[in-house]
Amino acid sequence: MYIPKISVVIPVYNSEDTISVCIESILQQSFTEFELIIVDDGSIDKSGTICDNYHLRDSRIMVIHQPNSGRTEARWQGVKRAQGEWLCFVDSDDTLPADSLYYLFNSAGDSTDIVLGNGYTFTQERRRQIPMSDFRHLAVRSEGNIGLPWGSLYRRSILTDYLFNIPRHIMMGEDYIFWLRLVFSTEKTVNVVYEKVYCKGDDHTCNTFQWTSKYCYELNELRFEAIPSEQHDEYLRDTVDDRLVNLFAVAIHESQHIWRQSQYYQDIKKDMKRLNMKLPIKKRLFLLMPRLIHRFMIT
């Protein structure tokens, strides 16, 4: 019986225009000891048929068809079928450079449960190994491409139902919650790959999503649930930094009189006061005139 070293999982929903290129990039990997699990999440276009045809061509490919349940649930269904010791997630509109699995697997080992890909996205870190005590702070701040499930390698044994049990209506930021739950589920050092191992396609969800203070408040509740309560103070500054990023997005989409009265904003102010934090003048200006500045930035 063929036992792969890596299981690659692709959630697919209405991706007939991109899924073939995605699959081909995986089949052309220089590292060949993998299986490919494609989860067709109730597609109503030709995606399912395209995936079935690839299954007929290559015995390493498994296709699962399920009613539409969301991307996170689709990934979990793939994880449950996986045979490899290591898991890699790829989105259906993305591709892997030819040596991606080679770089990721060569950085795996008994001393780690997580191999973070695309470490070049870090602004300061350049360590090939990062102790979990340090990495958690990077994760809470969503440094680089931490917070995105794709482009990394995970030991199968740490991928539990808890990581994927996220309310379906959380469609933006759900991957960040996955990562927070993940990093508080293991104590092992994280190995980092600095070579580019992932090519991101167009992300239409990010481009069209409308941030609201109500949505961010719920997201923040999930964030704090992922961090053990006795460690909330240790990561408070990190959570404030990340919440402010979300607040700027809210300020673009929601009127000032709404978000200023929201519980989300009030909690940020309270925590900033505890930390004796003050916003730089440029960020305060952004919050005062977000729509004007946003229009200026994109013209």
Side-chain angles (χ1 to χ4, degrees):
M1 179 181 177
Y2 174 68
I3 304 295
K5 289 185 168 62
I6 297 176
S7 296
V8 181
V9 175
I10 308 177
V12 177
Y13 178 71
N14 290 352
S15 304
E16 63 181 7
D17 294 334
T18 60
I19 187 58
S20 292
V21 176
C22 175
I23 293 173
E24 289 291 346
S25 76
I26 296 168
L27 296 181
Q28 294 170 14
Q29 289 295 299
S30 58
F31 180 93
T32 60
E33 296 179 70
F34 66 86
E35 67 174 349
L36 175 55
I37 303 173
I38 306 171
V39 184
D40 172 27
D41 188 36
S43 297
I44 57 176
D45 64 0
K46 297 178 182 177
S47 298
T49 300
I50 294 170
C51 295
D52 287 338
N53 289 336
Y54 272 101
H55 164 69
L56 296 175
R57 287 173 43 186
D58 196 312
S59 61
R60 295 174 299 176
I61 299 177
M62 175 195 306
V63 180
I64 301 169
H65 298 280
Q66 67 176 32
N68 183 252
S69 304
R71 184 170 51 187
T72 300
E73 176 63 21
R75 289 187 183 122
W76 172 234
Q77 293 303 317
V79 170
K80 290 197 292 185
R81 302 287 189 92
Q83 299 296 313
E85 181 182 4
W86 295 92
L87 265 290
C88 177
F89 297 113
V90 180
D91 283 352
S92 59
D93 53 354
D94 304 336
T95 57
L96 298 185
D99 293 324
S100 296
L101 296 184
Y102 168 81
Y103 285 129
L104 290 169
F105 188 76
N106 270 14
S107 295
D110 295 338
S111 63
T112 188
D113 288 330
I114 302 170
V115 179
L116 180 74
N118 290 326
Y120 73 91
T121 62
F122 283 153
T123 56
Q124 296 179 339
E125 289 288 341
R126 281 297 179 268
R127 290 178 285 177
R128 289 280 177 178
Q129 294 184 319
I130 303 178
M132 184 55 76
S133 57
D134 294 344
F135 189 83
R136 283 174 180 154
H137 287 280
L138 299 174
V140 176
R141 292 199 304 271
S142 197
E143 184 79 18
N145 70 339
I146 304 174
L148 303 169
W150 37 258
S152 294
L153 211 58
Y154 312 96
R155 192 180 299 278
R156 168 65 183 85
S157 59
I158 69 168
L159 297 180
T160 63
D161 174 65
Y162 165 67
L163 305 184
F164 300 87
N165 187 18
I166 299 169
R168 186 177 175 185
H169 67 274
I170 301 296
M171 300 176 60
M172 183 63 65
E174 81 280 14
D175 294 339
Y176 172 68
I177 302 302
F178 163 87
W179 261 99
L180 286 188
R181 293 177 176 182
L182 179 74
V183 299
F184 285 98
S185 298
T186 178
E187 298 295 330
K188 290 186 177 181
T189 295
V190 175
N191 291 354
V192 183
V193 171
Y194 286 91
E195 291 79 7
K196 185 174 182 178
V197 296
Y198 203 87
C199 295
K200 194 78 184 79
D202 294 333
D203 194 334
H204 300 294
T205 304
C206 286
N207 295 335
T208 60
F209 189 78
Q210 300 287 310
W211 290 94
T212 68
S213 52
K214 181 179 179 181
Y215 184 90
C216 287
Y217 179 80
E218 185 174 2
L219 190 65
N220 189 53
E221 290 294 288
L222 291 169
R223 172 194 281 117
F224 275 111
E225 287 175 8
I227 302 171
S229 57
E230 66 273 14
Q231 298 181 51
H232 280 183
D233 286 349
E234 179 181 351
Y235 296 97
L236 186 60
R237 175 62 186 254
D238 300 316
T239 68
V240 168
D241 288 341
D242 195 60
R243 279 183 282 166
L244 284 171
V245 172
N246 291 149
L247 180 62
F248 298 142
V250 169
I252 291 173
H253 297 112
E254 193 171 69
S255 63
Q256 188 175 132
H257 80 274
I258 293 178
W259 64 257
R260 279 189 175 276
Q261 296 177 24
S262 70
Q263 187 63 52
Y264 183 68
Y265 178 62
Q266 298 305 318
D267 286 347
I268 292 175
K269 285 205 307 180
K270 178 185 67 176
D271 289 338
M272 289 181 68
K273 185 175 181 179
R274 283 182 60 192
L275 295 165
N276 197 27
M277 285 179 63
K278 292 186 178 179
L279 278 180
I281 184 65
K282 288 184 178 180
K283 291 186 176 180
R284 279 185 282 163
L285 178 63
F286 186 100
L287 288 174
L288 287 172
M289 300 184 297
R291 289 181 174 82
L292 177 62
I293 295 175
H294 180 64
R295 191 180 302 119
F296 174 78
M297 290 172 61
I298 62 177
T299 56

